[in-house]
Amino acid sequence: MRKETTVLLICLLILFADILGIRQTLDLWLGEKLFLNDFSGIAILISLGGLTALLLWINYLLVRKILGRQMN
């Protein structure tokens, strides 16, 4: 397997885990099992969302690079 494909798969797995983390945090917060004040809850969700956006951007660049190499 090529290096770019391996990195892409790892990034996709990390992205999947991050999305599951956001969902679990929201479920616990809305189910009132996780007591967060407004600032810490928002900070956690913003940091998880920022990490998700960064991983999506990396995945986009890797897919573009992989497809660019296949077309040449």
Side-chain angles (χ1 to χ4, degrees):
M1 199 181 302
R2 291 191 320 227
K3 183 172 100 174
E4 291 89 6
T5 308
T6 305
V7 172
L8 178 67
L9 288 175
I10 290 171
C11 284
L12 286 173
L13 288 173
I14 293 171
L15 179 66
F16 182 68
D18 193 37
I19 290 170
L20 287 177
I22 290 172
R23 183 171 178 231
Q24 186 68 28
T25 303
L26 284 174
D27 286 345
L28 288 173
W29 192 19
L30 294 175
E32 297 177 359
K33 294 179 183 174
L34 181 65
F35 297 106
L36 299 172
N37 61 18
D38 289 336
F39 177 74
S40 64
I42 291 171
I44 289 170
L45 293 175
I46 286 174
S47 64
L48 286 172
L51 182 60
T52 303
L54 176 67
L55 288 172
L56 283 173
W57 179 68
I58 291 171
N59 286 332
Y60 168 74
L61 291 177
L62 284 171
V63 167
R64 208 171 80 182
K65 184 176 183 180
I66 290 169
L67 290 177
R69 284 189 178 177
Q70 288 178 355
M71 292 189 160
N72 290 332

